[in-house]
């Protein structure tokens, strides 16, 4: 519809951690939707740097990753004029509201979070309280901006449900403070699996560099990683639970080309896994190449990057402050 004013548009919020090189999983599971949503919705997107320190980060590397994650969002084609794009730690209301919400969140419900269980198993030497309370910070990220939709990969569904539960609980006590958001999970690409172990999700913080394709990988690296992708010895190209590796590759190829799984199965009927892996690698490399070219230009201009993220944070804080003070007032704080 024409002439929809900004205020009539439905709102969208999402964040991404600067915890490594963004992967094909981040792209297909979340970022592709962010791009698609920017025309129709009023979108707010943040680099969730506070979340990234739930796992130990090297300071210089973290700083570089925050810059590069923000630059990559621009390189994907997200427009800082149309969207609010900022860095989470620049808007202190996120951490402040997180504390408030943690007092309305039960230890028992947080203990059920599967990401906490996975990450504490992977980082057994550093099971910190922040890793445990991570979903209340994520709830604060979301609820501050009153979004209608939150585009995320399937792995974040549980965290979104807890954000909704907290919002409903708070509203029941104090009236209409928060909007209860809906998850927005893509039909294809919502769970891209590791190329080294297709029973695990592809993750940018995986120690095995061959397990993921980074958005900024070269064409050669992308093709090499797909060639090495773990599959099976059945020699049959079909989407099935018994073939997680091949099914993952079919899912990736579908998400990139827009073809259905049945069409992909037909296209490669009678061909070997080698041909298929090469086709997936080439399709992915072609999709990612323009992003990499944009990125190289954007990251070279630190001054402009800084101007954009500062402006974005100011815009974000104007919205966040209102919601935060409303919540504080309802609880009984003196303002
Ligand atoms: P980490 O590995 O450090 O935990 P991550 O990549 O899993 O990071 P985020 O950076 O916070 O996590 O994820 C950003 C978005 O990408 C989220 O919406 C998440 O659901 C999505 N995402 C992450 N991994 C995948 C994947 N393998 N498949 C689909 N979507 C994914
Ligand atoms: N925990 C999320 C990243 C994240 C997020 C958010 C996603 C932090 N805050 C708010 C959506 C909305 C993850 O994907 N690992």
């Amino acid at each position: 519809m024409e002439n929809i004013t900004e205020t009539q548009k439905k709102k969208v919020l999402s964040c991404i951690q600067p915890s490594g090189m963004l992967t094909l999983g981040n792209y297909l599971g979340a970022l592709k939707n962010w791009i698609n949503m920017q025309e129709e919705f009023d979108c707010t997107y943040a680099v969730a740097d506070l979340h990234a320190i739930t796992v130990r980060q090297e300071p210089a590397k973290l700083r570089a990753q925050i810059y590069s994650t923000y630059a990559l969002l621009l390189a994907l084609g997200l427009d800082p004029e149309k969207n609010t794009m900022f860095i989470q730690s620049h808007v202190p209301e996120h951490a402040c509201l997180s504390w408030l919400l943690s007092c309305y969140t039960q230890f028992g419900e947080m203990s059920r979070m599967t990401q906490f269980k996975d990450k504490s198993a992977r980082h057994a030497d550093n099971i910190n309280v922040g890793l445990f309370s991570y979903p209340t910070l994520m709830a604060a990220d979301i609820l501050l901006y009153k979004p209608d939709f939150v585009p995320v990969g399937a792995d974040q569904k549980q965290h979104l449900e807890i954000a909704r539960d907290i919002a409903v609980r708070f509203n029941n006590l104090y009236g209409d403070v928060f909007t209860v958001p809906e998850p927005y999970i893509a039909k294809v690409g919502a769970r891209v699996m590791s190329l080294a172990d297709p029973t695990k999700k592809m993750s940018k913080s995986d120690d095995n560099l061959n397990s993921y394709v980074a958005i900024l990988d070269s064409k050669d690296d992308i093709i090499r990683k797909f060639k090495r992708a773990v599959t099976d010895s059945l020699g049959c190209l079909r989407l099935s639970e018994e073939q997680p590796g091949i099914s993952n590759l079919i899912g990736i190829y579908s998400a990139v080309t827009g073809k259905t799984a049945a069409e992909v199965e037909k296209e490669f009927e009678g061909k070997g896994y080698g041909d298929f892996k090469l086709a997936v690698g080439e399709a992915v490399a072609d999709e990612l190449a323009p992003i990499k070219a944009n990125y190289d230009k954007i990251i070279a201009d630190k001054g402009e990057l800084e101007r954009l993220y500062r402006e974005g944070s100011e815009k974000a804080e104007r919205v966040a402050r209102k919601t935060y003070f409303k919540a504080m007032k309802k609880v009984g704080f003196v303002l």
Side-chain angles (χ1 to χ4, degrees), residues 36-289:
N36 294 336
M37 293 175 111
Q38 67 176 338
E39 300 301 332
E40 197 184 334
F41 298 96
D42 173 7
C43 302
T44 302
Y45 297 127
V47 175
D49 53 349
L50 295 173
H51 277 99
I53 65 160
T54 53
V55 170
R56 201 62 73 230
Q57 305 283 347
E58 210 183 287
K61 221 167 143 194
L62 177 62
R63 203 168 294 123
Q65 279 167 193
I66 295 169
Y67 274 115
S68 77
T69 304
Y70 193 91
L72 195 54
L73 298 185
L74 296 170
L76 287 164
L78 291 173
D79 182 345
E81 297 292 326
K82 274 191 204 137
N83 311 296
T84 302
M85 295 167 64
F86 68 104
I87 297 174
Q88 182 191 33
S89 64
H90 292 185
V91 180
E93 284 78 1
H94 289 244
C96 296
L97 184 66
S98 171
W99 169 252
L100 206 75
L101 298 182
S102 70
C103 299
Y104 295 81
T105 308
Q106 299 304 302
F107 187 86
E109 60 186 340
M110 289 288 258
S111 309
R112 289 195 290 273
M113 297 295 111
T114 55
Q115 180 177 294
F116 172 71
K117 291 182 198 163
D118 291 350
K119 286 207 175 175
S120 48
R122 265 201 281 151
H123 304 277
D125 56 337
N126 182 23
I127 306 177
N128 60 76
V129 177
L131 189 63
F132 183 73
S133 61
Y134 176 119
T136 57
L137 179 58
M138 178 160 161
D141 297 340
I142 298 169
L143 300 179
L144 282 171
Y145 300 91
K146 303 189 173 178
D148 300 282
F149 302 107
V150 181
V152 283
D155 62 305
Q156 294 302 313
K157 194 159 180 267
Q158 204 183 21
H159 290 163
L160 232 113
E161 274 159 13
I162 206 166
R164 286 167 53 91
D165 291 346
I166 297 169
V168 169
R169 189 172 304 150
F170 199 93
N171 286 351
N172 283 342
L173 286 168
Y174 301 112
D176 194 17
V177 178
F178 299 125
T179 301
V180 182
E182 294 292 332
Y184 185 96
I185 298 172
K187 291 202 176 58
V188 284
R191 193 186 293 277
V192 177
M193 308 310 279
S194 155
L195 299 184
D197 176 358
T199 61
K200 280 190 349 196
K201 78 159 191 164
M202 182 180 283
S203 166
K204 61 174 128 67
S205 50
D206 200 314
D207 295 330
N208 181 352
L209 299 182
N210 288 319
S211 72
Y212 62 85
V213 167
I215 298 178
L216 297 177
D217 273 346
S218 68
K219 182 165 187 170
D220 286 351
D221 279 341
I222 295 174
I223 290 178
R224 183 180 49 79
K225 287 182 184 181
F226 277 107
K227 270 192 191 155
R228 294 178 55 145
V230 170
T231 49
D232 53 64
S233 53
L234 296 174
C236 167
L237 224 137
R238 200 166 11 89
L239 198 66
S240 82
E241 274 178 25
E242 294 83 67
Q243 295 182 266
I246 282 295
S247 299
N248 187 35
L249 297 184
I250 294 177
I252 292 171
Y253 192 69
S254 295
V256 171
T257 59
K259 293 174 185 166
T260 64
E263 284 165 349
V264 179
E265 287 170 5
K266 195 140 187 271
E267 182 179 345
F268 290 93
E269 210 172 82
K271 296 200 179 127
Y273 286 177
D275 289 341
F276 178 53
K277 285 176 167 180
L278 182 65
V280 182
E282 282 183 337
V284 169
D286 289 347
E287 167 108 1
L288 299 181

